[in-house]
Every structure is written in structure tokens, then in C-alpha cells.
Amino acid sequence: MTSQSSQSGQPPLKTIRGSFLDFVDDPFYAPEADSARYIADGLLVLDGGKIKAFGAYADLQSEYGDLPTTVYAERLIMPGFIDTHIHYPQTEMIAAYGEQLLEWLDQYVFPTEEKFQDEAYAQKVAEIFLDQLLSNGTTTALVFAAVFPQSVEAFFEAAERRQLCMIAGKVMMDRNAPDYLCDTAESSYQETKALIQKWHKKGRLRYAVTPRFAITSSNEQLRKAGELLKEFPDVYMHTHISENVNEVAWVKELFPDCEGYLDAYDQAGLVGERSVFAHGVHLTDAEFQRLSEMKSAIAFCPTSNLFLGSGLFSLDQAKSAAHPVKVGLGTDVGAGTSFSLLQTANEAYKVAQLRQQKLSSFQALFLATLGGARALCLEDTLGNFEVGKEADFIVLDLRATPLMAFRNPAAVASSLSDLADRTFSLVMMGDDRAIQSTYILGEIVYQKGKASPPYTATA
Ligand code: GUN
Ligand code: ZN
């Protein structure tokens, strides 16, 4: 090849041509015209899994026009979706009937998570789970495993084989749960430490210290989690907060010396820039302010919050100009009812409506991409098509069903406002049927209608 080839031994450069949408700024604060980047005929130049160039085809054609190209006509190409809160062991008990949070945990979740003591079982579910993520266009996720270290091993091994950027951790829980799921403050510390040493920053993998929530962790265990964050300052902290009113009341009883729910985590040193709190439906004004001050993130999980009857998260408060909090979307499967971040954004819109708030399609898609990357401190490598970032992206079909095709007679949007309308219909009506292809590090790993490759280590 010519000078356009990569250095010897590397895969040659290649390009993707089509319509692209990504975000270069936050549309909750900047005008949409300045934050959404739409290129109706664009070119993405890929070099060994990274983005080498990106822009209008007309501008890049002279330099890269001769490279092998995949053309996606009448499709929309976006950065891969980022799910900021999900439980892989709960894949099999999605859609469990009839209960709210605390009873639902006892009745459905805990018995299911016990199965993840068996590593072979965990391996099998990890593959199913990752297939689900990719077929829904999700390329990165912040993931709860189960309390058993082997459940983390199984997950990271599966993610590593697929070269995915995934963040996960062993659940820490030492009280108010069945004995078969409880560790101790000390064992959770030791097991977590060993897992961090083995997996954190191995390739694209990252570790999250994962106390389940304040109800199932003693103060001593929360403090041990805080010690780990001091010892390993670049690992994440991932937990639940203020999801359900009965939960909030119980935390008050369990931590009488704390000012509130967040304070129980704060006093243990768990509130920082790499901390991600799922839900936050019942946070106080002071707690929102503290999260803003500490640059922590909230995972907004609307399908879960509606399914468990938890309440209506205030996105406007989190995204306030005075005390902005980083927010990503979380499916929270298995309390969440879909792996699709499109469906999650759909429900987010309806939650906003019930609160007399608005959520535009660009705001929703920002949360699912660059917003999620920022919530997970991954914006230097993921979230949009900036040159140098990792090439995880998806190809969307806005006419994926007969009704969607009727709603959108012309596939390619002619203007940003036209695109806003079409992507709104995508958010309302789309799901895994709208995901045509998913790329990881510039390689296609999922194509709608085609069987996924056999990733499982043992047949
Ligand atoms: N709070 C503590 N554990 C869980 C869980 O597994 N799911 C949800 N939605 N909330 C929790
Ligand atoms: Zn959860």
C-alpha cells in the first residue's frame, strides 16, 4: 500500500462512509446547533481500532478516497451507546412480577445471584449478556457482577475476549441479605483487592469497587471500600442510592449519625469523581449539591424506576446550571425492562414529561453517548468521533420497522431540525431492531440477522 497504510504489521487504514451524528458539547447547557454534530455525507477513517480522521466526505476524499470503504446508505452512524448501570447476573430474571425494591430483591434477585457461585454458569450468562449489549448497540457498560469473585472473573474474561471497554466489580454485601450471599468487611476487601490487581486496566477493562447499597453493607465494610479507593485512586466506585422511599427510611435507621443517605457513603470516603450512583430518585437538594461539588455521577435508570414503582428522577435538577451533576443513562437490567438505551431514553422522556420537564432527542442521545462517557470519566477515549478516540460505533436504521419507515419516508435528514424530529421518533420507537451493526475497535462484531461468533471459551 501507499503512505496511507499503517506502519508495517498493522491492519491497513479503512473508511466508513455515511451519515454521522455525535456530540461535541453538552446540549443541556450549549445550544443544540453547537453541541450536535451532523454530517450528512461523512467519512470516518479507521487506523487499527482508532479514529484517524473524521469529517465531511468532500473534505477528506482527496486524502482518503482511495482506501477500502464500507458505505452505509440511508443509515445513521453514531458512537456506541454507554450504559452507566446494569447487573449482568440479573439477565435471566428481567421482568419479575409484582414487587417494589426491597421485596423484589428478596424474592427474585438474591436467589438468582446465588447461581453465580458456579463459574461455568457465570461464564454462560456473561456471554448471553454481552451478546445482548452488542445487539442493542451498547459498547461500554458499568456492570454489577455478583458477590462471588468468580462471577467477576467470568465477566472480565468474556469482555476481554471481545476486546470490550467494560467496567465491573464484585458486589460487597455483609448484612441484611441471605447468608449465602454475604461476605465480610475483611473478605470483601481482600477479594476486591485481588480482583483490582488482576483486572484493573488490563487492556480496556476497568474495576469498580461495588458496595451493593448502604442497607447491605455495614459501616465497617463501607470504610473498607473507602480504603480501597485510597489505595487505588483510579478505580471506580459504583453503588445504588435513594431509589425507593422505604429504602431511604431504612438507611436513616441504620446510619443514625449520618445527615442522610449520601452522607453514609461520604463519611466512608466513597464520594468522588469516579463514583457512580444509580437512581438518586429521592435525593435532597443538599445531596444534589454535594454530588455536584464532588464531581460524582448519577445513572438515571427510568425503565427500572417505573417498573419497580420507585419514583420520577428529576433530570432538570441534576442538570441544573447552578449545581450540575454528571448524568448517564442506565438500563439497570434486571429491574430495568430493556437492554436498549433507545427504550431507556424513551422512558426518560416520559419521566421528564410527568415532571413537567423536557428531554429532546439530542439531549437523550447525548446522555447515551458522550454524557455516559463523561459520567464514567471515559471521554478521553470514547463518546464521540474525535480523532484519536477508540472506534466503537453503531449503525442505526431509522426505518427498521414498517411503522418507523412510514414515519420517516426519507432516510437521510436534510437539516439539524429534520434530524431532531427523526431521531425523536428513533428514541420513541426504536430498540434492538434499529441497530443494524455494532463495531468494536473498528471491527464489526454484530450484524442484525446474522448469528454472533462463538465467543464461549468452552464449546
Ligand atoms: N439496590 C440494591 N441492590 C439493587 C439491585 O440489584 N437493583 C436495584 N434496582 N436496586 C438495588
Ligand atoms: Zn441496579
Side-chain angles (χ1 to χ4, degrees):
M1 293 279 275
T2 64
S3 60
Q4 287 171 339
S5 299
S6 290
Q7 290 168 349
S8 62
Q10 297 296 310
L13 302 184
K14 59 184 180 185
T15 65
I16 308 280
R17 184 176 175 187
S19 298
F20 291 84
L21 171 65
D22 71 347
F23 296 89
V24 293
D25 205 344
D26 185 338
F28 286 88
Y29 304 109
E32 295 204 323
D34 297 340
S35 46
R37 171 167 56 178
Y38 176 54
I39 306 182
D41 183 11
L43 197 72
L44 183 67
V45 183
L46 304 171
D47 181 5
K50 291 214 170 149
I51 297 168
K52 184 176 172 65
F54 175 60
Y57 179 77
D59 295 338
L60 297 176
Q61 171 190 23
S62 59
E63 196 169 351
Y64 301 107
D66 293 339
L67 291 172
T69 302
T70 304
V71 180
Y72 287 107
E74 309 202 332
R75 297 289 182 268
L76 184 66
I77 305 168
M78 287 195 66
F81 293 148
I82 296 180
D83 188 337
T84 60
H85 179 67
I86 188 165
H87 300 249
Y88 99 82
Q90 296 176 17
T91 304
E92 69 193 77
M93 42 83 35
I94 189 170
Y97 174 74
E99 302 298 343
Q100 297 214 345
L101 176 64
L102 299 175
E103 299 75 21
W104 172 84
L105 285 170
D106 284 337
Q107 191 168 326
Y108 298 111
V109 172
F110 293 155
T112 305
E113 292 194 3
E114 187 187 10
K115 297 186 193 174
F116 289 74
Q117 195 159 9
D118 175 352
E119 190 163 356
Y121 187 74
Q123 284 167 348
K124 186 176 129 192
V125 177
E127 299 296 349
I128 294 167
F129 173 83
L130 292 175
D131 281 344
Q132 281 300 315
L133 289 187
L134 295 174
S135 62
N136 278 282
T138 298
T139 48
T140 286
L142 174 58
V143 181
F144 262 65
V147 72
F148 311 106
Q150 57 271 36
S151 70
V152 182
E153 298 279 350
F155 179 76
F156 276 143
E157 279 166 13
E160 186 181 38
R161 266 198 297 281
R162 300 179 192 228
Q163 292 194 281
L164 300 175
C165 175
M166 289 284 156
I167 311 170
K170 171 202 126 62
V171 176
M172 304 168 76
M173 50 195 294
D174 66 349
R175 65 170 173 176
N176 295 321
D179 284 349
Y180 58 76
L181 279 191
C182 283
D183 52 18
T184 65
E186 184 57 27
S187 72
S188 67
Y189 170 86
Q190 296 297 348
E191 288 171 353
T192 299
K193 186 169 183 164
L195 287 165
I196 292 171
Q197 286 165 337
K198 179 165 177 189
W199 291 106
H200 183 57
K201 291 193 160 168
K202 190 160 187 235
R204 305 183 82 200
L205 306 176
R206 302 286 182 270
Y207 197 88
V209 172
T210 308
R212 177 166 223 121
F213 65 159
I215 286 175
T216 50
S217 284
S218 63
N219 209 2
E220 192 192 349
Q221 184 170 61
L222 294 182
R223 277 163 208 281
K224 283 286 185 190
E227 267 181 48
L228 286 163
L229 297 181
K230 278 215 183 83
E231 282 176 60
F232 303 96
D234 60 358
V235 301
Y236 293 85
M237 201 291 299
H238 184 198
T239 191
H240 298 91
I241 195 165
S242 298
E243 176 177 4
N244 165 289
V245 285
N246 294 339
E247 171 208 12
V248 175
W250 194 0
V251 171
K252 274 204 183 106
E253 282 173 31
L254 291 169
F255 294 87
D257 299 335
C258 291
E259 271 174 39
Y261 200 153
L262 183 65
D263 196 38
Y265 294 138
D266 216 349
Q267 289 194 16
L270 300 183
V271 183
E273 199 167 353
R274 290 175 174 270
S275 303
V276 181
F277 296 93
H279 307 299
V281 172
H282 304 287
L283 290 171
T284 64
D285 293 353
E287 288 174 325
F288 271 111
Q289 284 186 30
R290 179 68 179 153
L291 290 173
S292 173
E293 183 180 276
M294 297 304 285
K295 301 187 165 63
S296 300
I298 297 175
F300 173 23
C301 306
T303 78
S304 165
N305 297 158
L306 296 172
F307 178 72
L308 291 180
S310 303
L312 305 175
F313 176 69
S314 180
L315 188 56
D316 271 12
Q317 185 158 13
K319 300 295 286 183
S320 80
H323 303 287
V325 180
K326 292 184 291 183
V327 178
L329 290 177
T331 60
D332 194 26
V333 165
T337 50
S338 172
F339 275 82
S340 169
L341 279 173
L342 294 173
Q343 277 305 292
T344 305
N346 170 357
E347 301 294 299
Y349 174 82
K350 294 169 187 168
V351 167
Q353 280 281 40
L354 285 165
R355 281 196 160 263
Q356 313 303 319
Q357 298 173 6
K358 277 197 164 65
L359 178 66
S360 73
S361 60
F362 289 153
Q363 288 172 331
L365 292 170
F366 165 82
L367 292 178
T369 56
L370 185 61
R374 287 181 177 175
L376 301 185
C377 302
L378 291 172
E379 69 271 29
D380 289 347
T381 49
L382 292 172
N384 63 16
F385 292 118
E386 292 293 291
V387 169
K389 289 198 180 183
E390 293 165 355
D392 291 356
F393 58 92
I394 56 178
V395 181
L396 292 147
D397 180 2
L398 275 64
R399 307 178 78 234
T401 69
L403 184 58
M404 289 171 81
F406 187 50
R407 167 69 166 78
N408 292 311
V412 178
S414 55
S415 64
L416 201 62
S417 63
D418 189 18
L419 185 69
D421 174 63
R422 279 153 207 259
T423 51
F424 185 68
S425 75
L426 171 73
V427 166
M428 289 303 112
M429 302 165 77
D431 51 26
D432 55 334
R433 293 169 297 180
I435 310 297
Q436 176 173 319
S437 302
T438 302
Y439 282 75
I440 295 294
L441 296 179
E443 298 296 330
I444 196 159
V445 297
Y446 167 76
Q447 267 179 289
K448 193 172 142 193
K450 287 202 176 163
S452 61
Y455 287 108
T456 336
T458 49

